[in-house]
PDB file of all heavy atoms in Angstrom:
ATOM      1  N   LEU G1525      94.278 -16.000  33.116  1.00 83.00           N
ATOM      2  CA  LEU G1525      94.709 -16.000  34.506  1.00 83.00           C
ATOM      3  C   LEU G1525      95.197 -17.369  34.977  1.00 83.00           C
ATOM      4  O   LEU G1525      96.179 -17.469  35.711  1.00 83.00           O
ATOM      5  CB  LEU G1525      93.538 -15.522  35.392  1.00 83.00           C
ATOM      6  CG  LEU G1525      93.728 -15.583  36.897  1.00 83.00           C
ATOM      7  CD1 LEU G1525      94.782 -14.555  37.316  1.00 83.00           C
ATOM      8  CD2 LEU G1525      92.418 -15.309  37.603  1.00 83.00           C
ATOM      9  N   ILE G1526      94.559 -18.429  34.538  1.00 82.00           N
ATOM     10  CA  ILE G1526      94.904 -19.759  35.045  1.00 82.00           C
ATOM     11  C   ILE G1526      95.906 -20.508  34.165  1.00 82.00           C
ATOM     12  O   ILE G1526      96.274 -21.644  34.471  1.00 82.00           O
ATOM     13  CB  ILE G1526      93.641 -20.621  35.269  1.00 82.00           C
ATOM     14  CG1 ILE G1526      92.900 -20.872  33.949  1.00 82.00           C
ATOM     15  CG2 ILE G1526      92.724 -19.969  36.299  1.00 82.00           C
ATOM     16  CD1 ILE G1526      91.779 -21.891  34.062  1.00 82.00           C
ATOM     17  N   ALA G1527      96.363 -19.887  33.091  1.00 79.00           N
ATOM     18  CA  ALA G1527      97.254 -20.565  32.141  1.00 79.00           C
ATOM     19  C   ALA G1527      98.467 -21.235  32.780  1.00 79.00           C
ATOM     20  O   ALA G1527      98.804 -22.355  32.406  1.00 79.00           O
ATOM     21  CB  ALA G1527      97.698 -19.595  31.047  1.00 79.00           C
ATOM     22  N   PRO G1528      99.132 -20.611  33.760  1.00 81.00           N
ATOM     23  CA  PRO G1528     100.315 -21.261  34.326  1.00 81.00           C
ATOM     24  C   PRO G1528     100.026 -22.605  35.002  1.00 81.00           C
ATOM     25  O   PRO G1528     100.901 -23.463  35.086  1.00 81.00           O
ATOM     26  CB  PRO G1528     100.830 -20.249  35.350  1.00 81.00           C
ATOM     27  CG  PRO G1528     100.285 -18.930  34.912  1.00 81.00           C
ATOM     28  CD  PRO G1528      98.963 -19.238  34.279  1.00 81.00           C
ATOM     29  N   ASN G1529      98.790 -22.822  35.445  1.00 83.00           N
ATOM     30  CA  ASN G1529      98.437 -24.047  36.152  1.00 83.00           C
ATOM     31  C   ASN G1529      97.419 -24.915  35.418  1.00 83.00           C
ATOM     32  O   ASN G1529      97.062 -25.984  35.902  1.00 83.00           O
ATOM     33  CB  ASN G1529      97.871 -23.701  37.534  1.00 83.00           C
ATOM     34  CG  ASN G1529      98.867 -22.936  38.368  1.00 83.00           C
ATOM     35  OD1 ASN G1529     100.013 -23.354  38.509  1.00 83.00           O
ATOM     36  ND2 ASN G1529      98.461 -21.787  38.887  1.00 83.00           N
ATOM     37  N   CYS G1530      96.976 -24.447  34.274  1.00 82.00           N
ATOM     38  CA  CYS G1530      95.908 -25.138  33.547  1.00 82.00           C
ATOM     39  C   CYS G1530      96.476 -26.210  32.630  1.00 82.00           C
ATOM     40  O   CYS G1530      97.551 -26.057  32.061  1.00 82.00           O
ATOM     41  CB  CYS G1530      95.112 -24.113  32.730  1.00 82.00           C
ATOM     42  SG  CYS G1530      93.694 -24.817  31.870  1.00 82.00           S
ATOM     43  N   ARG G1531      95.723 -27.279  32.487  1.00 86.00           N
ATOM     44  CA  ARG G1531      96.149 -28.393  31.637  1.00 86.00           C
ATOM     45  C   ARG G1531      95.401 -28.409  30.306  1.00 86.00           C
ATOM     46  O   ARG G1531      95.638 -29.283  29.476  1.00 86.00           O
ATOM     47  CB  ARG G1531      95.930 -29.690  32.392  1.00 86.00           C
ATOM     48  CG  ARG G1531      96.788 -29.741  33.664  1.00 86.00           C
ATOM     49  CD  ARG G1531      96.434 -30.868  34.583  1.00 86.00           C
ATOM     50  NE  ARG G1531      96.697 -32.167  33.959  1.00 86.00           N
ATOM     51  CZ  ARG G1531      96.211 -33.307  34.414  1.00 86.00           C
ATOM     52  NH1 ARG G1531      95.452 -33.326  35.483  1.00 86.00           N
ATOM     53  NH2 ARG G1531      96.492 -34.442  33.810  1.00 86.00           N
ATOM     54  N   LEU G1532      94.515 -27.433  30.098  1.00 85.00           N
ATOM     55  CA  LEU G1532      93.677 -27.407  28.902  1.00 85.00           C
ATOM     56  C   LEU G1532      94.503 -27.354  27.611  1.00 85.00           C
ATOM     57  O   LEU G1532      94.248 -28.115  26.674  1.00 85.00           O
ATOM     58  CB  LEU G1532      92.711 -26.212  28.944  1.00 85.00           C
ATOM     59  CG  LEU G1532      91.752 -26.085  27.758  1.00 85.00           C
ATOM     60  CD1 LEU G1532      90.846 -27.302  27.670  1.00 85.00           C
ATOM     61  CD2 LEU G1532      90.944 -24.812  27.893  1.00 85.00           C
ATOM     62  N   ALA G1533      95.501 -26.474  27.563  1.00 81.00           N
ATOM     63  CA  ALA G1533      96.300 -26.338  26.341  1.00 81.00           C
ATOM     64  C   ALA G1533      96.990 -27.656  25.983  1.00 81.00           C
ATOM     65  O   ALA G1533      97.045 -28.030  24.812  1.00 81.00           O
ATOM     66  CB  ALA G1533      97.337 -25.227  26.495  1.00 81.00           C
ATOM     67  N   GLY G1534      97.487 -28.361  26.979  1.00 86.00           N
ATOM     68  CA  GLY G1534      98.143 -29.646  26.718  1.00 86.00           C
ATOM     69  C   GLY G1534      97.184 -30.691  26.188  1.00 86.00           C
ATOM     70  O   GLY G1534      97.523 -31.453  25.281  1.00 86.00           O
ATOM     71  N   ILE G1535      95.998 -30.719  26.741  1.00 89.00           N
ATOM     72  CA  ILE G1535      94.994 -31.699  26.309  1.00 89.00           C
ATOM     73  C   ILE G1535      94.514 -31.385  24.895  1.00 89.00           C
ATOM     74  O   ILE G1535      94.486 -32.254  24.022  1.00 89.00           O
ATOM     75  CB  ILE G1535      93.816 -31.737  27.298  1.00 89.00           C
ATOM     76  CG1 ILE G1535      94.297 -32.323  28.639  1.00 89.00           C
ATOM     77  CG2 ILE G1535      92.639 -32.524  26.726  1.00 89.00           C
ATOM     78  CD1 ILE G1535      93.311 -32.174  29.776  1.00 89.00           C
ATOM     79  N   ILE G1536      94.189 -30.124  24.665  1.00 85.00           N
ATOM     80  CA  ILE G1536      93.735 -29.732  23.324  1.00 85.00           C
ATOM     81  C   ILE G1536      94.880 -29.875  22.322  1.00 85.00           C
ATOM     82  O   ILE G1536      94.683 -30.332  21.197  1.00 85.00           O
ATOM     83  CB  ILE G1536      93.153 -28.311  23.335  1.00 85.00           C
ATOM     84  CG1 ILE G1536      91.829 -28.345  24.105  1.00 85.00           C
ATOM     85  CG2 ILE G1536      92.952 -27.788  21.919  1.00 85.00           C
ATOM     86  CD1 ILE G1536      91.121 -27.040  24.226  1.00 85.00           C
ATOM     87  N   GLY G1537      96.073 -29.519  22.731  1.00 86.00           N
ATOM     88  CA  GLY G1537      97.241 -29.681  21.860  1.00 86.00           C
ATOM     89  C   GLY G1537      97.438 -31.132  21.443  1.00 86.00           C
ATOM     90  O   GLY G1537      97.800 -31.420  20.302  1.00 86.00           O
ATOM     91  N   GLY G1538      97.173 -32.061  22.361  1.00 92.00           N
ATOM     92  CA  GLY G1538      97.266 -33.489  22.038  1.00 92.00           C
ATOM     93  C   GLY G1538      96.226 -33.890  21.004  1.00 92.00           C
ATOM     94  O   GLY G1538      96.509 -34.701  20.117  1.00 92.00           O
ATOM     95  N   GLY G1539      95.029 -33.326  21.136  1.00 91.00           N
ATOM     96  CA  GLY G1539      93.973 -33.611  20.160  1.00 91.00           C
ATOM     97  C   GLY G1539      94.321 -33.070  18.781  1.00 91.00           C
ATOM     98  O   GLY G1539      94.127 -33.749  17.766  1.00 91.00           O
ATOM     99  N   VAL G1540      94.863 -31.860  18.738  1.00 91.00           N
ATOM    100  CA  VAL G1540      95.282 -31.259  17.466  1.00 91.00           C
ATOM    101  C   VAL G1540      96.392 -32.096  16.834  1.00 91.00           C
ATOM    102  O   VAL G1540      96.383 -32.362  15.631  1.00 91.00           O
ATOM    103  CB  VAL G1540      95.737 -29.794  17.670  1.00 91.00           C
ATOM    104  CG1 VAL G1540      96.422 -29.254  16.434  1.00 91.00           C
ATOM    105  CG2 VAL G1540      94.551 -28.912  18.061  1.00 91.00           C
ATOM    106  N   LYS G1541      97.335 -32.537  17.672  1.00 93.00           N
ATOM    107  CA  LYS G1541      98.442 -33.359  17.172  1.00 93.00           C
ATOM    108  C   LYS G1541      97.909 -34.663  16.574  1.00 93.00           C
ATOM    109  O   LYS G1541      98.340 -35.088  15.501  1.00 93.00           O
ATOM    110  CB  LYS G1541      99.431 -33.648  18.298  1.00 93.00           C
ATOM    111  CG  LYS G1541     100.640 -34.422  17.850  1.00 93.00           C
ATOM    112  CD  LYS G1541     101.616 -34.624  18.994  1.00 93.00           C
ATOM    113  CE  LYS G1541     102.815 -35.436  18.529  1.00 93.00           C
ATOM    114  NZ  LYS G1541     103.768 -35.674  19.596  1.00 93.00           N
ATOM    115  N   ALA G1542      96.950 -35.298  17.252  1.00 95.00           N
ATOM    116  CA  ALA G1542      96.372 -36.542  16.742  1.00 95.00           C
ATOM    117  C   ALA G1542      95.635 -36.297  15.424  1.00 95.00           C
ATOM    118  O   ALA G1542      95.740 -37.092  14.483  1.00 95.00           O
ATOM    119  CB  ALA G1542      95.424 -37.145  17.777  1.00 95.00           C
ATOM    120  N   PHE G1543      94.921 -35.179  15.347  1.00 94.00           N
ATOM    121  CA  PHE G1543      94.199 -34.808  14.133  1.00 94.00           C
ATOM    122  C   PHE G1543      95.174 -34.637  12.964  1.00 94.00           C
ATOM    123  O   PHE G1543      94.989 -35.207  11.883  1.00 94.00           O
ATOM    124  CB  PHE G1543      93.421 -33.519  14.394  1.00 94.00           C
ATOM    125  CG  PHE G1543      92.770 -32.904  13.189  1.00 94.00           C
ATOM    126  CD1 PHE G1543      91.708 -33.521  12.552  1.00 94.00           C
ATOM    127  CD2 PHE G1543      93.209 -31.681  12.703  1.00 94.00           C
ATOM    128  CE1 PHE G1543      91.106 -32.940  11.444  1.00 94.00           C
ATOM    129  CE2 PHE G1543      92.610 -31.094  11.597  1.00 94.00           C
ATOM    130  CZ  PHE G1543      91.550 -31.730  10.969  1.00 94.00           C
ATOM    131  N   LEU G1544      96.240 -33.881  13.195  1.00 95.00           N
ATOM    132  CA  LEU G1544      97.221 -33.634  12.137  1.00 95.00           C
ATOM    133  C   LEU G1544      97.987 -34.906  11.767  1.00 95.00           C
ATOM    134  O   LEU G1544      98.286 -35.125  10.592  1.00 95.00           O
ATOM    135  CB  LEU G1544      98.174 -32.518  12.543  1.00 95.00           C
ATOM    136  CG  LEU G1544      97.534 -31.124  12.616  1.00 95.00           C
ATOM    137  CD1 LEU G1544      98.489 -30.129  13.246  1.00 95.00           C
ATOM    138  CD2 LEU G1544      97.067 -30.667  11.246  1.00 95.00           C
TER     139      LEU G1544
END
Side-chain angles (χ1 to χ4, degrees):
L1525 174 68
I1526 63 171
N1529 300 309
C1530 184
R1531 298 169 64 196
L1532 181 61
I1535 292 169
I1536 290 180
V1540 169
K1541 183 177 179 181
F1543 172 68
L1544 291 170

